[in-house]
Amino acid sequence: MNAAAGGIGVLDLQGGVQEHLDHLRRIGVAGRPVKHAAELAGLAGLIIPGGESTCLSRLLTIFGLREAIEQAYCNGLKLWGTCAGAILLARENIGETPYFGLIDIAVNRNAFGSQLDSFNREARALKVAPNPIPLTFIRAPKIVRIGAGVQALLKLDDYIAAAEDDQILVTVFHPELTPSLAFHRYFARKCGLDVTEADDAGLDPDWTPQSWTRFSPHI
Ligand code: GLN
């Protein structure tokens, strides 16, 4: 085990890496970027961020991280896929070839339309936090089926937006692009880590909106 034993890594190939690392720091969890297989050593969990799933899948293969992540998963590593990350972890990717296929869900990629159909809303996920959580969907997939060992954490309209099994959490939205720390706390606890206490809303009072999220109604 190394000095960062027990922390959470964020796959650092493409997509929303820094935003996840910032949220981990806000909840008092040691986080670090993971670009190479050796950097998985000692981690309790790994976040596969949002971005673009085809691009991420190619980079994962080029960087030799596919087998390394599968091996670490077999050794107990917890995984959280946000948006593109959820697509990569899904057993079924409708009309396409699945990548890791480690959690028994079916996803329908780009199910809301184009990038311009991205949106924000709020909803309660009671297992995660008592209060409504702001949700940011960016050209998101829908989870349209979950298997026997998988639990839905958030159902909206005709789809599931968050789900988990014993070792994997998937969210089709981006908690790292909102002031809510609730899902990061939830994943850290799933990894068996201590996290700093939440205020009532699970929102970070020091959070400042970044880039495109400035237009969003929940900020
Ligand atoms: N639409 C992207 C894909 O199919 C995912 C978008 C995201 O991660 N925000 O990979």
Side-chain angles (χ1 to χ4, degrees):
M1 300 283 254
N2 59 29
I8 293 178
V10 182
L11 182 71
D12 182 17
L13 298 179
Q14 189 262 335
V17 179
Q18 190 57 48
E19 292 83 353
H20 275 298
L21 290 170
D22 288 345
H23 262 24
L24 292 173
R25 178 179 41 74
R26 290 177 178 119
I27 63 168
V29 164
R32 60 179 150 122
V34 171
K35 219 186 262 291
H36 303 286
E39 291 158 351
L40 291 166
L43 291 176
L46 178 72
I47 298 174
I48 303 179
E52 209 287 323
S53 52
T54 306
C55 175
L56 275 165
S57 69
R58 291 186 181 157
L59 290 170
L60 277 158
T61 303
I62 289 167
F63 278 67
L65 273 160
R66 181 179 188 158
E67 293 76 14
I69 290 171
E70 286 166 351
Q71 189 59 53
Y73 168 79
C74 289
N75 293 334
L77 182 74
K78 303 282 196 299
L79 299 171
W80 175 14
T82 50
C83 203
I87 295 170
L88 293 174
L89 289 169
R91 184 148 311 159
E92 185 184 352
N93 181 4
I94 292 172
E96 301 190 38
T97 309
Y99 190 72
F100 285 117
L102 291 173
I103 181 167
D104 189 9
I105 60 170
V107 294
N108 191 4
R109 191 178 174 195
N110 300 330
F112 297 93
S114 77
Q115 194 81 1
L116 292 176
D117 298 307
S118 300
F119 62 97
N120 293 302
R121 65 177 288 181
E122 282 193 345
R124 276 196 169 80
L126 286 176
K127 198 174 169 198
V128 176
N131 297 312
I133 298 172
L135 307 167
T136 292
F137 294 74
I138 306 174
R139 207 176 188 203
K142 289 182 179 179
I143 299 170
V144 293
R145 180 190 65 76
I146 56 173
V150 179
Q151 186 186 8
L153 295 172
L154 179 57
K155 288 184 187 171
L156 296 169
D157 307 325
D158 63 342
Y159 63 96
I160 292 167
E164 67 175 349
D165 66 13
D166 287 348
Q167 220 178 314
I168 298 181
L169 171 66
V170 282
T171 58
V172 302
F173 48 85
H174 291 265
E176 78 285 6
L177 297 181
T178 77
S180 173
L181 303 172
F183 270 90
H184 288 76
R185 287 197 173 94
Y186 187 77
F187 182 62
R189 290 198 188 96
K190 190 176 178 75
C191 293
L193 303 176
D194 290 332
V195 296
T196 53
E197 281 307 305
D199 60 28
D200 278 353
L203 303 180
D204 180 356
D206 300 326
W207 190 86
T208 44
Q210 318 246 330
S211 64
W212 75 276
T213 57
R214 288 198 178 90
F215 75 76
S216 77
H218 62 243
I219 294 165

